[in-house]
Amino acid sequence: MDEKNQEQWLDTPDPQQFIRNTAKFNDLMMMYRCAIREIRTKLEVLDDEFSVEYKRNPISFIKSRIKKPESIYRKLKKLGYEFTPENIHQQLHDVAGVRVVCAFIDDIYTIAGLLAGQDDITVVEIRDYIKTPKPNGYRSYHMIVDIPVFFSKGKTLMRAEIQIRTIGMDFWATLEHQLRYKQGIEDMEGYENISRELLTCARTVLETDTEMQRIKNMIGQFHDI
C-alpha cells in the first residue's frame, strides 16, 4: 500500500476500530490460511495420484493468497456491510483464494470434478468463464467452496475461491491485469484499440489451448492402439 492509501486507510474510522482488535482479525486470517492449506493438500494428493497412476501431472503449479485488509474493507463497503469479522466470514467468498494452473483444458474439468466429488467439500457456486468468457476475453473456471477446518475448539466451515485455468489462460490474465490496470490507462488515447488488441490475444491463446488439447487427444489415441 502506498503512503497516500495507507493514510486514507488509517483515517477511516471503522477499519481503524476493527484493526485495534488485532486478536480477532489475526484469528480470522489464520483460519483462512488453514483453509488454503486444506485445499492445497487435496490438490497435491490428486496430482501425486495422477503422477503414479497415469505418469503425468495435470497440475502445473498452485498459487494462493489472502485478500488484503484494505481490499476486504472496500468490498464490504461496496456491498453495504460493516467491516466486522462476522461480515467478512459470512458475506465474502474470496478472502481465501487458490489458483490452480493446469496443462490442458480437460485437466481443468477433471480437477474441478474430483474436488466437487469429495464428501467434505461443498460447492457453493460455479462460474465457468471458459465456456462463457468475460467480454474482455478472460477465461477461467471459478469454484466457491466451503471446506471444514478442524481447530482446538471444534470444526469451522471456511469459504474459499478456487480458480482453475490453463498455463495460457494464466499467462494472458496475468499480463492483461498488469497492462489494463496501469494507473490512468482508461484515459489514454486509443484505449479502445488496446482493449481490442488484448481481446485478440485472448482468442489467440484460446486457439493455442484448443490445438494443444487436440494434439494431446491424438497422442492418447495413438497410445491406446
Side-chain angles (χ1 to χ4, degrees):
M1 195 184 339
D2 59 37
E3 250 178 52
K4 184 179 179 182
N5 287 337
Q6 188 174 24
E7 287 174 4
Q8 291 174 346
W9 168 247
L10 293 174
D11 287 341
T12 308
D14 290 341
Q16 180 70 355
Q17 182 181 359
F18 181 75
I19 291 299
R20 278 201 295 266
N21 195 345
T22 306
K24 284 187 179 180
F25 183 79
N26 286 344
D27 283 349
L28 186 59
M29 294 303 104
M30 175 273 294
M31 293 166 74
Y32 279 117
R33 288 195 299 272
C34 291
I36 284 176
R37 282 202 293 270
E38 293 280 355
I39 293 170
R40 289 187 69 112
T41 297
K42 288 178 177 295
L43 291 165
E44 289 164 1
V45 167
L46 289 172
D47 200 48
D48 282 349
E49 181 190 1
F50 268 75
S51 181
V52 172
E53 296 294 329
Y54 305 106
K55 303 297 184 286
R56 74 179 195 88
N57 297 92
I59 298 174
S60 297
F61 59 88
I62 303 168
K63 291 182 178 180
S64 58
R65 63 103 181 98
I66 299 292
K67 192 178 279 292
K68 294 180 180 179
E70 59 270 25
S71 297
I72 294 173
Y73 169 72
R74 284 197 298 266
K75 190 157 189 178
L76 280 175
K77 186 177 180 181
K78 183 179 179 181
L79 294 171
Y81 293 102
E82 292 183 4
F83 191 67
T84 67
E86 292 76 19
N87 284 337
I88 292 173
H89 190 217
Q90 295 170 12
Q91 305 300 332
L92 299 186
H93 296 337
D94 61 346
V95 175
V98 178
R99 183 184 304 168
V100 187
V101 178
C102 297
F104 299 97
I105 295 173
D106 63 354
D107 290 332
I108 295 172
Y109 293 100
T110 297
I111 294 298
L114 290 170
L115 280 176
Q118 299 199 14
D119 58 12
D120 59 344
I121 285 184
T122 301
V123 178
V124 177
E125 182 181 353
I126 289 175
R127 294 182 182 179
D128 190 341
Y129 295 117
I130 298 172
K131 292 180 179 176
T132 309
K134 290 186 178 183
N136 68 342
Y138 174 86
R139 293 184 304 129
S140 187
Y141 189 92
H142 291 200
M143 302 174 71
I144 304 296
V145 303
D146 284 338
I147 184 167
V149 183
F150 293 85
F151 300 103
S152 59
K153 296 179 181 179
K155 178 177 72 174
T156 302
L157 280 179
M158 301 300 296
R159 184 158 292 183
E161 181 184 56
I162 304 172
Q163 299 178 358
I164 316 175
R165 58 181 67 158
T166 64
I167 297 168
M169 295 174 198
D170 188 60
F171 164 78
W172 180 88
T174 301
L175 296 186
E176 192 267 356
H177 185 272
Q178 291 183 23
L179 294 170
R180 188 179 294 276
Y181 292 96
K182 178 181 173 66
Q183 188 173 2
I185 190 174
E186 294 87 353
D187 300 324
M188 287 178 56
E189 184 178 349
Y191 175 68
E192 291 183 359
N193 289 334
I194 292 172
S195 294
R196 282 195 294 269
E197 291 291 343
L198 289 170
L199 182 57
T200 299
C201 289
R203 289 169 178 159
T204 301
V205 170
L206 171 60
E207 291 171 3
T208 303
D209 270 341
T210 303
E211 185 63 15
M212 296 302 288
Q213 180 67 56
R214 188 186 68 82
I215 294 170
K216 173 181 176 284
N217 293 342
M218 286 176 57
I219 293 172
Q221 290 169 8
F222 295 150
H223 182 72
D224 292 338
I225 294 175

Short mmCIF file of all heavy atoms in Angstrom, two decimals, residues 23-61:
data_model
loop_
_atom_site.label_atom_id
_atom_site.label_comp_id
_atom_site.label_asym_id
_atom_site.label_seq_id
_atom_site.Cartn_x
_atom_site.Cartn_y
_atom_site.Cartn_z
N ALA A 23 -6.39 -9.30 17.80
CA ALA A 23 -6.50 -10.73 18.07
C ALA A 23 -7.59 -11.37 17.21
O ALA A 23 -7.36 -12.42 16.58
CB ALA A 23 -6.80 -10.98 19.54
N LYS A 24 -8.77 -10.73 17.13
CA LYS A 24 -9.87 -11.30 16.35
C LYS A 24 -9.53 -11.34 14.86
O LYS A 24 -9.79 -12.32 14.17
CB LYS A 24 -11.15 -10.49 16.56
CG LYS A 24 -11.83 -10.76 17.88
CD LYS A 24 -13.18 -10.04 17.92
CE LYS A 24 -13.90 -10.31 19.23
NZ LYS A 24 -15.21 -9.62 19.29
N PHE A 25 -8.94 -10.25 14.39
CA PHE A 25 -8.59 -10.20 12.97
C PHE A 25 -7.53 -11.25 12.64
O PHE A 25 -7.65 -11.97 11.64
CB PHE A 25 -8.08 -8.80 12.62
CG PHE A 25 -7.76 -8.63 11.16
CD1 PHE A 25 -8.76 -8.42 10.23
CD2 PHE A 25 -6.44 -8.71 10.71
CE1 PHE A 25 -8.47 -8.29 8.89
CE2 PHE A 25 -6.14 -8.56 9.38
CZ PHE A 25 -7.16 -8.35 8.46
N ASN A 26 -6.51 -11.35 13.46
CA ASN A 26 -5.45 -12.34 13.22
C ASN A 26 -5.98 -13.76 13.29
O ASN A 26 -5.56 -14.64 12.52
CB ASN A 26 -4.31 -12.15 14.22
CG ASN A 26 -3.47 -10.92 13.92
OD1 ASN A 26 -3.54 -10.37 12.83
ND2 ASN A 26 -2.69 -10.48 14.90
N ASP A 27 -6.89 -14.02 14.22
CA ASP A 27 -7.50 -15.35 14.32
C ASP A 27 -8.23 -15.71 13.02
O ASP A 27 -8.11 -16.82 12.51
CB ASP A 27 -8.49 -15.41 15.49
CG ASP A 27 -7.79 -15.55 16.84
OD1 ASP A 27 -6.56 -15.79 16.84
OD2 ASP A 27 -8.46 -15.40 17.86
N LEU A 28 -8.99 -14.74 12.52
CA LEU A 28 -9.76 -14.99 11.30
C LEU A 28 -8.85 -15.24 10.11
O LEU A 28 -9.06 -16.17 9.33
CB LEU A 28 -10.69 -13.81 11.02
CG LEU A 28 -11.66 -13.96 9.86
CD1 LEU A 28 -12.57 -15.17 10.07
CD2 LEU A 28 -12.48 -12.70 9.68
N MET A 29 -7.80 -14.45 9.97
CA MET A 29 -6.87 -14.64 8.86
C MET A 29 -6.14 -15.98 8.98
O MET A 29 -5.85 -16.65 7.99
CB MET A 29 -5.87 -13.49 8.80
CG MET A 29 -6.48 -12.13 8.46
SD MET A 29 -7.38 -12.09 6.88
CE MET A 29 -9.10 -12.11 7.47
N MET A 30 -5.83 -16.38 10.23
CA MET A 30 -5.22 -17.69 10.45
C MET A 30 -6.14 -18.80 9.97
O MET A 30 -5.71 -19.77 9.34
CB MET A 30 -4.91 -17.87 11.94
CG MET A 30 -4.37 -19.23 12.34
SD MET A 30 -5.69 -20.45 12.70
CE MET A 30 -6.43 -19.73 14.17
N MET A 31 -7.44 -18.65 10.21
CA MET A 31 -8.40 -19.67 9.80
C MET A 31 -8.48 -19.77 8.27
O MET A 31 -8.57 -20.86 7.71
CB MET A 31 -9.77 -19.35 10.40
CG MET A 31 -9.80 -19.48 11.92
SD MET A 31 -11.25 -18.72 12.68
CE MET A 31 -12.52 -19.91 12.26
N TYR A 32 -8.38 -18.61 7.61
CA TYR A 32 -8.37 -18.64 6.14
C TYR A 32 -7.09 -19.28 5.61
O TYR A 32 -7.11 -20.01 4.62
CB TYR A 32 -8.52 -17.22 5.58
CG TYR A 32 -9.94 -16.73 5.55
CD1 TYR A 32 -10.34 -15.63 6.31
CD2 TYR A 32 -10.91 -17.37 4.78
CE1 TYR A 32 -11.66 -15.18 6.29
CE2 TYR A 32 -12.22 -16.92 4.75
CZ TYR A 32 -12.59 -15.84 5.51
OH TYR A 32 -13.90 -15.40 5.49
N ARG A 33 -5.97 -19.02 6.27
CA ARG A 33 -4.72 -19.67 5.84
C ARG A 33 -4.82 -21.19 5.99
O ARG A 33 -4.33 -21.94 5.14
CB ARG A 33 -3.53 -19.13 6.65
CG ARG A 33 -3.13 -17.70 6.30
CD ARG A 33 -1.75 -17.36 6.85
NE ARG A 33 -1.70 -17.44 8.30
CZ ARG A 33 -2.00 -16.45 9.12
NH1 ARG A 33 -2.38 -15.27 8.63
NH2 ARG A 33 -1.90 -16.59 10.43
N CYS A 34 -5.46 -21.63 7.05
CA CYS A 34 -5.63 -23.06 7.26
C CYS A 34 -6.54 -23.67 6.20
O CYS A 34 -6.30 -24.79 5.73
CB CYS A 34 -6.20 -23.33 8.65
SG CYS A 34 -5.05 -22.95 10.00
N ALA A 35 -7.57 -22.93 5.81
CA ALA A 35 -8.46 -23.41 4.74
C ALA A 35 -7.68 -23.59 3.44
O ALA A 35 -7.87 -24.58 2.71
CB ALA A 35 -9.61 -22.43 4.54
N ILE A 36 -6.79 -22.64 3.15
CA ILE A 36 -5.97 -22.75 1.95
C ILE A 36 -5.08 -23.99 2.02
O ILE A 36 -4.92 -24.72 1.03
CB ILE A 36 -5.12 -21.47 1.78
CG1 ILE A 36 -6.00 -20.34 1.24
CG2 ILE A 36 -3.94 -21.71 0.84
CD1 ILE A 36 -5.29 -19.01 1.12
N ARG A 37 -4.51 -24.26 3.20
CA ARG A 37 -3.66 -25.45 3.34
C ARG A 37 -4.45 -26.73 3.09
O ARG A 37 -3.95 -27.67 2.48
CB ARG A 37 -3.01 -25.47 4.72
CG ARG A 37 -1.83 -24.53 4.84
CD ARG A 37 -0.88 -24.94 5.97
NE ARG A 37 -1.51 -24.80 7.27
CZ ARG A 37 -1.47 -23.70 8.00
NH1 ARG A 37 -0.87 -22.61 7.54
NH2 ARG A 37 -2.03 -23.66 9.19
N GLU A 38 -5.69 -26.75 3.58
CA GLU A 38 -6.55 -27.93 3.36
C GLU A 38 -6.78 -28.15 1.86
O GLU A 38 -6.68 -29.28 1.36
CB GLU A 38 -7.89 -27.74 4.07
CG GLU A 38 -7.82 -27.74 5.58
CD GLU A 38 -7.74 -29.14 6.17
OE1 GLU A 38 -7.84 -30.11 5.42
OE2 GLU A 38 -7.55 -29.23 7.40
N ILE A 39 -7.08 -27.08 1.15
CA ILE A 39 -7.35 -27.19 -0.29
C ILE A 39 -6.09 -27.58 -1.04
O ILE A 39 -6.11 -28.45 -1.92
CB ILE A 39 -7.93 -25.87 -0.82
CG1 ILE A 39 -9.32 -25.62 -0.21
CG2 ILE A 39 -8.02 -25.89 -2.35
CD1 ILE A 39 -9.87 -24.23 -0.48
N ARG A 40 -4.97 -26.94 -0.70
CA ARG A 40 -3.71 -27.27 -1.37
C ARG A 40 -3.35 -28.73 -1.17
O ARG A 40 -2.88 -29.41 -2.10
CB ARG A 40 -2.58 -26.38 -0.86
CG ARG A 40 -2.66 -24.93 -1.32
CD ARG A 40 -1.41 -24.17 -0.90
NE ARG A 40 -0.27 -24.64 -1.66
CZ ARG A 40 0.38 -23.92 -2.58
NH1 ARG A 40 -0.02 -22.68 -2.83
NH2 ARG A 40 1.42 -24.40 -3.22
N THR A 41 -3.57 -29.25 0.04
CA THR A 41 -3.25 -30.66 0.32
C THR A 41 -4.08 -31.57 -0.57
O THR A 41 -3.56 -32.54 -1.14
CB THR A 41 -3.50 -30.97 1.80
OG1 THR A 41 -2.62 -30.19 2.60
CG2 THR A 41 -3.26 -32.45 2.08
N LYS A 42 -5.37 -31.27 -0.70
CA LYS A 42 -6.23 -32.09 -1.56
C LYS A 42 -5.75 -32.08 -3.00
O LYS A 42 -5.71 -33.11 -3.67
CB LYS A 42 -7.67 -31.58 -1.48
CG LYS A 42 -8.37 -31.87 -0.15
CD LYS A 42 -9.77 -31.29 -0.13
CE LYS A 42 -10.49 -31.65 1.18
NZ LYS A 42 -10.73 -33.10 1.30
N LEU A 43 -5.38 -30.91 -3.47
CA LEU A 43 -4.89 -30.79 -4.85
C LEU A 43 -3.57 -31.53 -5.05
O LEU A 43 -3.37 -32.22 -6.07
CB LEU A 43 -4.72 -29.31 -5.21
CG LEU A 43 -6.03 -28.51 -5.33
CD1 LEU A 43 -5.72 -27.01 -5.32
CD2 LEU A 43 -6.77 -28.89 -6.61
N GLU A 44 -2.67 -31.42 -4.09
CA GLU A 44 -1.38 -32.10 -4.19
C GLU A 44 -1.54 -33.61 -4.15
O GLU A 44 -0.82 -34.34 -4.85
CB GLU A 44 -0.46 -31.61 -3.07
CG GLU A 44 0.02 -30.17 -3.28
CD GLU A 44 0.59 -29.53 -2.02
OE1 GLU A 44 0.63 -30.23 -0.98
OE2 GLU A 44 0.97 -28.35 -2.07
N VAL A 45 -2.48 -34.09 -3.35
CA VAL A 45 -2.75 -35.53 -3.30
C VAL A 45 -3.26 -36.02 -4.66
O VAL A 45 -2.80 -37.06 -5.18
CB VAL A 45 -3.78 -35.85 -2.19
CG1 VAL A 45 -4.30 -37.28 -2.34
CG2 VAL A 45 -3.16 -35.67 -0.81
N LEU A 46 -4.19 -35.29 -5.26
CA LEU A 46 -4.70 -35.66 -6.58
C LEU A 46 -3.59 -35.67 -7.62
O LEU A 46 -3.49 -36.58 -8.45
CB LEU A 46 -5.82 -34.70 -7.01
CG LEU A 46 -7.14 -34.81 -6.26
CD1 LEU A 46 -8.08 -33.66 -6.67
CD2 LEU A 46 -7.82 -36.15 -6.53
N ASP A 47 -2.74 -34.66 -7.58
CA ASP A 47 -1.65 -34.57 -8.55
C ASP A 47 -0.66 -35.71 -8.37
O ASP A 47 -0.17 -36.30 -9.34
CB ASP A 47 -0.94 -33.22 -8.40
CG ASP A 47 -0.13 -32.84 -9.63
OD1 ASP A 47 -0.67 -32.94 -10.75
OD2 ASP A 47 1.04 -32.44 -9.48
N ASP A 48 -0.37 -36.07 -7.11
CA ASP A 48 0.53 -37.20 -6.83
C ASP A 48 -0.06 -38.50 -7.36
O ASP A 48 0.65 -39.34 -7.93
CB ASP A 48 0.79 -37.32 -5.33
CG ASP A 48 1.80 -36.31 -4.83
OD1 ASP A 48 2.45 -35.67 -5.68
OD2 ASP A 48 1.95 -36.15 -3.60
N GLU A 49 -1.36 -38.67 -7.16
CA GLU A 49 -2.02 -39.89 -7.64
C GLU A 49 -1.92 -40.00 -9.16
O GLU A 49 -1.61 -41.06 -9.70
CB GLU A 49 -3.48 -39.91 -7.21
CG GLU A 49 -4.21 -41.18 -7.67
CD GLU A 49 -5.70 -41.12 -7.46
OE1 GLU A 49 -6.20 -40.08 -6.97
OE2 GLU A 49 -6.38 -42.09 -7.80
N PHE A 50 -2.18 -38.89 -9.86
CA PHE A 50 -2.08 -38.90 -11.32
C PHE A 50 -0.65 -39.22 -11.76
O PHE A 50 -0.44 -39.91 -12.75
CB PHE A 50 -2.49 -37.54 -11.88
CG PHE A 50 -3.95 -37.46 -12.24
CD1 PHE A 50 -4.90 -37.35 -11.24
CD2 PHE A 50 -4.37 -37.52 -13.56
CE1 PHE A 50 -6.26 -37.28 -11.55
CE2 PHE A 50 -5.71 -37.45 -13.88
CZ PHE A 50 -6.66 -37.33 -12.88
N SER A 51 0.32 -38.71 -11.03
CA SER A 51 1.72 -38.96 -11.37
C SER A 51 2.04 -40.45 -11.32
O SER A 51 2.75 -40.97 -12.18
CB SER A 51 2.63 -38.18 -10.42
OG SER A 51 3.98 -38.39 -10.73
N VAL A 52 1.50 -41.14 -10.32
CA VAL A 52 1.76 -42.58 -10.16
C VAL A 52 0.91 -43.41 -11.11
O VAL A 52 1.41 -44.31 -11.79
CB VAL A 52 1.51 -43.01 -8.69
CG1 VAL A 52 1.59 -44.53 -8.55
CG2 VAL A 52 2.50 -42.33 -7.76
N GLU A 53 -0.38 -43.10 -11.19
CA GLU A 53 -1.31 -43.92 -11.95
C GLU A 53 -1.23 -43.69 -13.45
O GLU A 53 -1.38 -44.60 -14.25
CB GLU A 53 -2.75 -43.68 -11.47
CG GLU A 53 -3.00 -44.09 -10.02
CD GLU A 53 -2.89 -45.59 -9.82
OE1 GLU A 53 -3.20 -46.35 -10.77
OE2 GLU A 53 -2.47 -46.00 -8.71
N TYR A 54 -1.02 -42.41 -13.85
CA TYR A 54 -1.10 -42.06 -15.27
C TYR A 54 0.21 -41.49 -15.81
O TYR A 54 0.28 -41.09 -16.97
CB TYR A 54 -2.23 -41.05 -15.49
CG TYR A 54 -3.56 -41.55 -14.97
CD1 TYR A 54 -4.11 -41.02 -13.79
CD2 TYR A 54 -4.26 -42.56 -15.62
CE1 TYR A 54 -5.32 -41.47 -13.30
CE2 TYR A 54 -5.47 -43.02 -15.14
CZ TYR A 54 -6.00 -42.47 -13.97
OH TYR A 54 -7.20 -42.93 -13.48
N LYS A 55 1.22 -41.44 -14.96
CA LYS A 55 2.56 -40.99 -15.37
C LYS A 55 2.57 -39.57 -15.93
O LYS A 55 3.34 -39.24 -16.83
CB LYS A 55 3.15 -41.96 -16.42
CG LYS A 55 3.22 -43.40 -15.95
CD LYS A 55 4.14 -43.54 -14.76
CE LYS A 55 4.31 -45.00 -14.34
NZ LYS A 55 3.13 -45.56 -13.66
N ARG A 56 1.73 -38.72 -15.38
CA ARG A 56 1.74 -37.31 -15.75
C ARG A 56 1.08 -36.49 -14.65
O ARG A 56 0.35 -37.03 -13.82
CB ARG A 56 1.04 -37.06 -17.09
CG ARG A 56 -0.47 -37.14 -17.04
CD ARG A 56 -1.08 -36.85 -18.40
NE ARG A 56 -2.51 -36.59 -18.30
CZ ARG A 56 -3.03 -35.39 -18.09
NH1 ARG A 56 -2.23 -34.34 -17.96
NH2 ARG A 56 -4.33 -35.22 -18.02
N ASN A 57 1.38 -35.20 -14.66
CA ASN A 57 0.82 -34.30 -13.65
C ASN A 57 -0.14 -33.31 -14.31
O ASN A 57 0.30 -32.49 -15.12
CB ASN A 57 1.94 -33.53 -12.94
CG ASN A 57 2.86 -34.45 -12.18
OD1 ASN A 57 3.88 -34.90 -12.70
ND2 ASN A 57 2.51 -34.73 -10.94
N PRO A 58 -1.42 -33.39 -13.98
CA PRO A 58 -2.38 -32.45 -14.57
C PRO A 58 -2.21 -31.03 -14.05
O PRO A 58 -2.61 -30.07 -14.71
CB PRO A 58 -3.74 -33.03 -14.16
CG PRO A 58 -3.45 -33.78 -12.90
CD PRO A 58 -2.07 -34.33 -13.06
N ILE A 59 -1.62 -30.88 -12.85
CA ILE A 59 -1.46 -29.57 -12.25
C ILE A 59 -0.02 -29.09 -12.46
O ILE A 59 0.93 -29.75 -12.04
CB ILE A 59 -1.78 -29.60 -10.74
CG1 ILE A 59 -3.26 -30.00 -10.53
CG2 ILE A 59 -1.49 -28.26 -10.10
CD1 ILE A 59 -3.63 -30.19 -9.06
N SER A 60 0.13 -27.95 -13.11
CA SER A 60 1.46 -27.39 -13.35
C SER A 60 1.97 -26.68 -12.10
O SER A 60 3.12 -26.85 -11.71
CB SER A 60 1.42 -26.42 -14.53
OG SER A 60 1.08 -27.11 -15.71
N PHE A 61 1.13 -25.87 -11.49
CA PHE A 61 1.50 -25.24 -10.22
C PHE A 61 0.26 -24.69 -9.52
O PHE A 61 -0.82 -24.58 -10.13
CB PHE A 61 2.57 -24.15 -10.40
CG PHE A 61 2.17 -23.02 -11.32
CD1 PHE A 61 1.50 -21.91 -10.84
CD2 PHE A 61 2.50 -23.06 -12.67
CE1 PHE A 61 1.15 -20.87 -11.68
CE2 PHE A 61 2.15 -22.02 -13.52
CZ PHE A 61 1.48 -20.92 -13.03
#
